[in-house]
Amino acid sequence: NTAAKDATHIIRRLPGFYRTREEGNKIFPINLNDVIPQSIDITMPRWQTQARDAGITIHMETDLNTIPSIPGDDADLREMFINLICNAVDAMTENGSITFRTSQVEEDNRQYVILEVSDTGSGMPDEVRRQCLEPFFSTKGDRGTGMGLAMVFGIIQRHHGTLNIESEPGVGTRFRMRFPVEIPPPPSDIQ
């Protein structure tokens, strides 16, 4: 029964990997500095209470600098942050921290918002890091569906962003995302 419910849940989420945007989703100017604290509050029972019950103290840290808004969907972005927080909590085997950092950069005459989410968890070996964004890939056994980071990657792509993952076993993991301040124009097939 549990496996059937999990399969139903997974199948409902599959369209999220292939769509560019859900019907009815509206794009608005979103400041990540507003969405991050909401996501931290929503996940507080997970990173504070459940972790404490497991004998672990997790410190949530933020270094939110002045950044411009990006065109986006705040519900998608909250889902992305929630998945990143939950994965970081799962990677904690002892006391540690999860840090959100925002900044702004100009590259090739375009403005970008940089978001870094890092943790001091168990980290990932290169083989796992290379596969962690694939749908259904999980190192959590029965506790994981393999959908969390795949959904994160899909959300980043729908926001025209890029992702770089750095991880070292025993040290932790850092997700570095770059989002354009303006939606880039579609590529032209005319040459």
Side-chain angles (χ1 to χ4, degrees):
N1 188 23
T2 301
K5 287 180 183 176
D6 287 349
T8 300
H9 177 73
I10 290 168
I11 289 168
R12 283 187 187 141
R13 295 183 71 122
L14 279 176
F17 294 111
Y18 305 109
R19 70 177 190 271
T20 55
R21 181 95 22 219
E22 280 186 10
E23 251 183 66
N25 278 16
K26 303 265 191 231
I27 301 299
F28 295 104
I30 305 293
N31 192 305
L32 296 180
N33 289 346
D34 296 332
V35 181
I36 290 168
Q38 295 168 358
S39 304
I40 290 171
D41 288 346
I42 290 169
T43 57
M44 189 179 292
R46 180 81 183 269
W47 62 264
Q48 191 175 64
T49 309
Q50 288 180 5
R52 185 179 56 231
D53 291 348
I56 299 171
T57 300
I58 298 175
H59 297 281
M60 193 65 67
E61 301 173 4
T62 57
D63 180 13
L64 307 179
N65 295 288
T66 303
I67 57 171
S69 295
I70 64 168
D73 179 311
D74 59 342
D76 271 358
L77 292 166
R78 261 190 306 277
E79 179 180 0
M80 178 180 76
F81 295 140
I82 289 168
N83 277 315
L84 289 170
I85 291 169
C86 290
N87 275 350
V89 170
D90 289 344
M92 300 281 184
T93 56
E94 55 188 40
N95 296 346
S97 64
I98 301 169
T99 304
F100 283 84
R101 182 172 289 114
T102 57
S103 60
Q104 178 180 352
V105 67
E106 182 176 330
E107 296 174 6
D108 301 322
N109 293 321
R110 298 194 62 198
Q111 294 291 322
Y112 295 92
V113 169
I114 303 297
L115 167 67
E116 293 181 3
V117 181
S118 57
D119 67 65
T120 58
S122 58
M124 296 180 276
D126 282 341
E127 182 178 320
V128 171
R129 183 186 52 78
R130 285 191 296 268
Q131 297 178 68
C132 71
L133 301 176
E134 295 175 12
F136 309 112
F137 177 81
S138 178
T139 59
K140 300 177 188 176
D142 292 341
R143 295 181 310 124
T145 62
M147 300 297 282
L149 291 180
M151 293 300 287
V152 165
F153 187 55
I155 291 167
I156 292 168
Q157 288 183 316
R158 285 194 300 277
H159 285 81
H160 304 280
T162 60
L163 172 65
N164 181 45
I165 304 171
E166 298 172 7
S167 191
E168 185 177 338
V171 176
T173 301
R174 180 175 75 144
F175 288 81
R176 185 177 192 271
M177 292 149 270
R178 186 181 77 159
F179 297 99
V181 172
E182 295 179 8
I183 295 177
S188 173
D189 292 336
I190 301 172
Q191 296 193 12

